[in-house]
Amino acid sequence: MRRDKAVTEGITMLGRRKGYEIREGIVYLTFEGGQGRIEVMTEDIVNVFVPYEDSAHRSKAIVGEKNKHVWFEVKEGLDYLEIITERLLVRVYDRFMVDFYDREGHLLCADYRGNREFTTPISEKFVEILLAEGHEAPRDNGENYAVQVVKRMEGDECFYGLGDKTGVLNKRHYDYEMWNTDNPQAHTDAFKALYKSIPFFITLRENCVYGIFFDNTYKSYFDMGKERDGYFLFGSDAGNLDYYFIGGSNMPDVVKNYTYLTGRAPLPQLFSLGYHQSRWGYESSAEIRAVAEKYRALDIPIDTIHFDIDYMDGFRVFTWNEKEFGEPGKLVKELEKKGFKVVCIIDPGVKVDEDYYVYREGVEHDYFAKTPEGEIYVNEVWPGDAVYPDFGNPNVRQWWADKQKYLVDLGVRGVWNDMNEPASFRGELPQDVVFTDEERTSNHAAMHNVYGHLMSQATYEGLKKYDKRRPFVITRACYAGTQKYSTMWTGDNQSLWDHLRMAIPQMCNMGLSGLVYIGTDVGGFGADVTPELLSRWVQVGCFSPLFRNHSSKGSTRQEPWLFGEKTLEIYRKYIQLRYKLLPYLYDLFCETQKDGLPVLRPLVLHYEKDPECKNLNGEFLFGEDILVAPVVEQGATKKLVYLPEGTWYDYDTREKLTGGRYLIKDAPLEVCPMYVKAGSIIPNYPPMHYVGEVEVENLTLDVYPGEGTYIHYQDNGEDFAYEQGEYNAYECKLTKDETLTIRMLHKGYKKVYRYFTICYKGQKQKFEFNGESLTVWLS
């Protein structure tokens, strides 16, 4: 996009600083060319703001008051204004240059004082030749962005986060765009944008770490040192300059501070952490019934079956295809009796049909996006001509929330929001399509990146209102903060080894970006999976917070029994392992409510001083205690594994290993290398086909020699009673002298475990629990 030269100078147009004043805890700075402001949110979080478009933040990511009104003071320096918090020094110079230091005066992050060094502009003739040959035209980066911040590179930066971007873990020397995009082509490292816009990244340097959240919903751009090695930058086509500098002593602190700002994933229903089976498309009730029965017959645990668009009447949302799926709700209730929960897909596109109640209601109440001329905007998606609910309007969100009652009344347990970038079949929605931003008129350019976010919010609120249980919502498109409302998957991947390899750094960076409840389509959505690829993918899926097999029409079906006995055995093994580890996974979600740390983590999150972890793409941590190093290469039967410092135990062999080194692990097709940190206590469930089938009275604790403390959480796994104290918390403490003590930290849930089985050094012992405490001498 070419920009008017009058606005391309960005913040440099502000000129010399003339003065400042402090009002209501905010430092307002006056410059020759306008105003800027600095707001101290917490000791570690500082907002930098220039009201180019609007004097208000209008954040969609941040809900509620986040300013803690902490102490700070302001002092004049030689050529700067210094704002001092308990942990940061912020120095503001002419042209609204803003540098950040720690309290000891060590530089953390500084604005770049020079000009951008653009590459040679691309000639129109060259673009014509590329297009004629079927190539995409490269982006001409010969101008600044309308809103832009350029930061100096100190030389040792690594960059993480930015949501669901393709490629490797460390984003240094790459550039990306934030523009929610449904691209059906096979995703490669060259993709600038996918389905989600999370304009947050973490910068790790040798002696410091910090995050930056650029809260701007317009199309935005992030160049992490690709253009030149001397700087990195972020900018947007329009909107305000509105970014948050987020400090911390280490990477976990930065993630905690970012999720304090944008919100944390709530505790999910326990069933949703089980295994999910899906396909576009299961085209009839008979087909779904057969799939469900086969899973039970083959002793493969499963909780959830997903209904894709074929269950609807002509792809009309909030309707039922009675011809192929029978009486509305009958199949759902039949499956429920066998332990299955149903999740139904919902797209935002509403079919243009005067006889269709959802369309009529929306037209009557003026709930759909408009053209600039005032007509309802029409594009095409699955039902044909379709219109788009204006989710930026609170009344529309309430209307959409109330529509969830239709599904709840059928017995549906979750809603899967798709096509909500928003996607369309007749080209992208024009930038000037009229939407609403709460109480004011806006446009598609401003609301595009938050469309899926607002749809997810409406869905969450509707399920909470009518189902009363913790809402289970899945979304493809989202913005920063959507983790408060929904789980996410990485979209339409394909059955490619490259996509399996990419899944690890992609999910790790999503986790660092606040998106905790995430997964990929196991086996790949498009193309044709092989038995080997499916076997390796289920080993990654086993540890992904959202564990769903999903594939597309026209591709090989991916039910595991279709690939031979060996594949079936491997698939069963890792789904059974998932159910065994469910209490550990649930505990991680309990913790993420409190600290925002992800379930699936890059090693660098906990070992940021270890240079070997900074670019480690092929392994991850499942929580802090379990290290997983999946095989992601076709034909490989060995895995080069890096173990960080400390003592580790091979999960399968219980071999004791010293960390801080690489090792080669034998990994035939049925083995996914796993390691457990010394001193870990891992709770295990007994075998089950689905959550709720077995009443767990005896919890197994898998204990590894060392020293450590673990908190296990227990509640009913469904509703919000835990918020009123209806939960149990057990503290498990392991000492070096091989003593394990279990005691109740909190007792508010009636179903207290009656027994604990302790697995230690290959031996199992069962102990009765009196409801208060238990001490076991393990040696």
Side-chain angles (χ1 to χ4, degrees):
M1 176 178 177
R2 307 292 291 186
R3 296 165 182 81
D4 185 342
K5 195 66 177 176
V7 297
T8 58
E9 296 303 322
I11 61 174
T12 63
M13 287 184 63
L14 295 181
R16 295 178 62 85
R17 182 170 64 87
K18 296 174 64 177
Y20 77 93
E21 61 176 324
I22 303 172
R23 299 197 309 270
E24 297 179 346
I26 301 174
V27 182
Y28 291 84
L29 300 111
T30 303
F31 296 85
E32 292 172 332
Q35 282 197 334
R37 65 186 194 233
I38 302 289
E39 182 174 4
V40 177
M41 309 293 291
T42 73
E43 294 90 344
D44 284 311
I45 303 174
V46 174
N47 176 246
V48 179
F49 187 88
V50 179
Y52 288 134
E53 181 178 272
D54 192 301
S55 62
H57 287 286
R58 293 195 167 275
S59 178
K60 298 296 179 290
I62 301 170
V63 176
E65 176 59 60
K66 297 296 182 177
N67 189 322
K68 291 186 177 181
H69 304 286
V70 299
W71 170 89
F72 70 89
E73 64 176 328
V74 180
K75 294 181 178 180
E76 283 280 6
L78 290 175
D79 58 348
Y80 56 81
L81 186 73
E82 187 169 66
I83 302 166
I84 304 166
T85 81
E86 292 286 353
R87 295 177 58 83
L88 295 173
L89 304 177
V90 185
R91 293 176 181 170
V92 185
Y93 297 80
D94 290 344
R95 299 189 297 156
F96 204 27
M97 294 288 172
V98 185
D99 298 345
F100 297 88
Y101 298 77
D102 65 20
R103 277 302 301 269
E104 285 69 48
H106 302 125
L107 178 66
L108 304 175
C109 175
D111 276 338
Y112 185 70
R113 267 54 176 185
N115 295 318
R116 286 177 63 189
E117 301 175 49
F118 299 113
T119 56
T120 303
I122 302 165
S123 71
E124 292 183 5
K125 182 65 175 177
F126 180 58
V127 171
E128 289 176 6
I129 294 172
L130 288 175
L131 293 174
E133 293 183 352
H135 300 289
E136 290 186 6
R139 178 167 62 86
D140 184 350
N141 71 334
E143 294 190 30
N144 291 301
Y145 301 111
V147 179
Q148 177 176 287
V149 175
V150 185
K151 294 290 187 181
R152 191 173 80 204
M153 195 90 82
E154 302 304 320
D156 62 338
E157 286 87 352
C158 295
F159 298 108
Y160 307 98
L162 296 173
D164 68 339
K165 302 308 184 206
T166 60
V168 294
L169 180 68
N170 181 2
K171 299 306 186 185
R172 180 166 179 168
H173 295 137
Y174 292 86
D175 67 322
Y176 300 96
E177 297 173 357
M178 296 296 167
W179 188 251
N180 292 357
T181 302
D182 173 25
N183 189 328
Q185 302 301 314
H187 306 151
T188 69
D189 290 7
F191 273 49
K192 306 298 183 189
L194 280 177
Y195 306 95
K196 301 162 187 66
S197 291
I198 315 295
F200 166 73
F201 61 90
I202 297 172
T203 304
L204 176 64
R205 292 175 47 212
E206 183 177 356
N207 295 314
C208 72
V209 62
Y210 61 85
I212 290 179
F213 171 41
F214 181 40
D215 196 5
N216 182 307
T217 65
Y218 287 90
K219 188 173 185 179
S220 58
Y221 309 85
F222 290 75
D223 187 304
M224 315 314 291
K226 179 181 179 181
E227 184 172 279
R228 288 292 181 270
D229 213 26
Y231 57 78
F232 63 95
L233 65 93
F234 51 94
S236 65
D237 286 339
N240 292 327
L241 172 65
D242 188 358
Y243 76 89
Y244 295 82
F245 181 89
I246 303 171
S249 300
N250 49 42
M251 283 186 73
D253 279 353
V254 173
V255 175
K256 291 173 186 177
N257 287 330
Y258 169 71
T259 55
Y260 161 76
L261 200 62
T262 60
R264 291 168 180 161
L267 194 62
Q269 290 194 59
L270 184 57
F271 88 84
S272 72
L273 300 180
Y275 176 72
H276 300 239
Q277 179 63 49
S278 181
R279 180 172 170 84
W280 173 52
Y282 293 137
E283 297 183 344
S284 69
S285 58
E287 194 172 356
I288 287 179
R289 191 177 290 112
V291 169
E293 290 173 354
K294 193 73 170 178
Y295 267 102
R296 292 287 184 254
L298 292 173
D299 193 29
I300 305 173
I302 178 174
D303 263 272
T304 307
I305 294 183
H306 291 234
F307 290 20
D308 211 312
I309 55 177
D310 294 296
Y311 84 90
M312 294 183 277
D313 177 16
F315 308 136
R316 296 168 178 84
V317 293
F318 307 112
T319 66
W320 194 266
N321 176 359
E322 295 189 39
K323 180 180 178 182
E324 300 298 337
F325 286 80
E327 178 186 336
K330 183 178 179 181
L331 175 61
V332 178
K333 291 178 174 60
E334 176 187 325
L335 291 169
E336 183 181 18
K337 291 177 181 178
K338 298 178 181 180
F340 291 94
K341 295 83 178 173
V342 168
V343 170
C344 287
I345 198 170
I346 290 288
D347 293 346
V350 174
K351 183 176 179 61
V352 175
D353 178 356
E354 296 292 344
D355 296 326
Y356 171 35
Y357 78 106
V358 178
Y359 176 73
R360 288 199 314 270
E361 288 178 12
V363 172
E364 178 184 353
H365 295 288
D366 198 23
Y367 283 165
F368 299 124
K370 300 284 190 64
T371 67
E373 294 73 31
E375 301 295 324
I376 295 176
Y377 175 78
V378 180
N379 204 304
E380 180 185 0
V381 281
W382 293 113
D385 282 354
V387 293
Y388 294 82
D390 181 7
F391 291 120
N393 182 336
N395 294 328
V396 176
R397 292 200 299 273
Q398 182 58 60
W399 172 66
W400 198 260
D402 289 339
K403 285 286 163 280
Q404 310 307 313
K405 185 177 187 299
Y406 172 82
L407 298 173
V408 171
D409 288 347
L410 296 178
V412 171
R413 294 291 294 274
V415 175
W416 162 24
N417 289 332
D418 197 12
M419 302 289 286
N420 56 350
E421 289 71 35
S424 54
F425 291 172
R426 292 201 293 260
E428 186 177 275
L429 279 64
Q431 301 281 288
D432 61 358
V433 169
V434 179
F435 284 89
T436 303
D437 181 3
E438 303 306 322
E439 77 288 350
R440 69 173 186 171
T441 300
S442 187
N443 60 26
H444 181 238
M447 301 303 289
H448 173 90
N449 280 341
V450 293
Y451 192 81
H453 172 90
L454 295 169
M455 181 185 183
S456 297
Q457 179 184 352
T459 305
Y460 178 91
E461 291 171 351
L463 291 180
K464 187 174 183 180
K465 177 180 179 180
Y466 292 106
D467 187 60
K468 308 300 182 185
R469 290 173 285 209
R470 307 167 201 167
F472 180 56
V473 182
I474 310 176
T475 188
R476 189 169 74 176
C478 72
Y479 184 70
T482 306
Q483 64 268 12
K484 297 187 291 290
Y485 312 119
S486 183
T487 174
M488 307 91 182
W489 91 106
T490 58
D492 295 345
N493 61 0
Q494 299 201 19
S495 301
L496 303 170
W497 286 95
D498 278 346
H499 281 200
L500 174 59
R501 282 190 290 273
M502 184 173 68
I504 296 173
Q506 189 175 34
M507 287 193 290
C508 284
N509 274 318
M510 289 173 74
L512 295 178
S513 305
L515 309 183
V516 170
Y517 199 172
I518 51 172
T520 66
D521 285 341
V522 170
F525 175 71
D528 298 322
V529 76
T530 65
E532 182 186 4
L533 179 56
L534 184 61
S535 297
R536 290 305 192 187
W537 213 313
V538 75
Q539 294 167 6
V540 174
C542 173
F543 304 98
S544 304
L546 178 64
F547 187 12
R548 181 180 75 158
N549 179 317
H550 183 49
S551 57
S552 66
K553 285 185 179 180
S555 70
T556 300
R557 292 184 65 125
Q558 289 181 178
E559 293 84 7
W561 53 83
L562 300 174
F563 296 86
E565 188 60 33
K566 183 174 182 179
T567 302
L568 177 61
E569 289 177 0
I570 294 170
Y571 212 89
R572 182 190 293 116
K573 171 184 175 181
Y574 282 94
I575 295 181
Q576 289 176 343
L577 176 59
R578 169 61 164 236
Y579 279 76
K580 182 179 181 180
L581 293 174
L582 272 183
Y584 176 75
L585 176 57
Y586 197 56
D587 287 341
L588 290 175
F589 270 97
C590 181
E591 286 304 307
T592 200
Q593 280 196 119
K594 302 172 185 175
D595 61 21
L597 294 184
V599 170
L600 194 148
R601 310 172 183 182
L603 272 68
V604 70
L605 180 63
H606 291 293
Y607 302 95
E608 63 188 60
K609 298 298 184 183
D610 186 339
E612 295 297 330
C613 295
K614 293 181 178 179
N615 298 283
L616 207 54
N617 294 291
E619 53 191 83
F620 57 86
L621 293 170
F622 185 50
E624 191 174 354
D625 296 335
I626 298 177
L627 186 153
V628 185
V631 173
V632 292
E633 303 290 340
Q634 189 273 331
T637 57
K638 295 183 183 296
K639 174 78 177 189
L640 180 64
V641 178
Y642 182 73
L643 293 180
E645 64 182 2
T647 300
W648 297 84
Y649 290 87
D650 186 300
Y651 183 81
D652 293 317
T653 67
R654 292 316 199 250
E655 178 186 3
K656 182 179 179 180
L657 300 162
T658 301
R661 65 186 177 102
Y662 286 92
L663 58 87
I664 296 176
K665 167 70 175 178
D666 285 329
L669 190 57
E670 67 274 11
V671 172
C672 175
M674 292 172 58
Y675 302 87
V676 183
K677 190 168 65 172
S680 295
I681 301 166
I682 311 295
N684 292 170
Y685 274 165
M688 61 181 67
H689 292 101
Y690 57 90
V691 169
E693 180 193 29
V694 176
E695 185 68 54
V696 181
E697 294 185 327
N698 177 14
L699 185 70
T700 296
L701 298 179
D702 193 5
V703 180
Y704 292 79
E707 188 174 16
T709 300
Y710 182 87
I711 307 298
H712 173 63
Y713 178 84
Q714 180 191 27
D715 68 9
N716 66 33
E718 284 194 351
D719 60 27
F720 291 92
Y722 72 93
E723 293 182 345
Q724 281 70 53
E726 291 186 27
Y727 67 90
N728 296 329
Y730 304 80
E731 181 189 65
C732 308
K733 183 171 289 188
L734 177 65
T735 62
K736 288 182 179 180
D737 63 1
E738 299 185 291
T739 300
L740 176 67
T741 302
I742 303 169
R743 69 182 183 93
M744 298 293 292
L745 286 181
H746 180 89
K747 184 191 288 188
Y749 179 53
K750 60 183 178 181
K751 295 182 180 179
V752 177
Y753 297 118
R754 294 181 61 193
Y755 305 96
F756 283 97
T757 294
I758 311 301
C759 179
Y760 185 73
K761 293 184 178 180
Q763 301 295 318
K764 286 187 177 181
Q765 299 181 74
K766 183 178 179 181
F767 299 91
E768 189 171 358
F769 184 61
N770 65 9
E772 296 297 335
S773 65
L774 171 67
T775 300
V776 178
W777 289 269
L778 299 172
S779 57

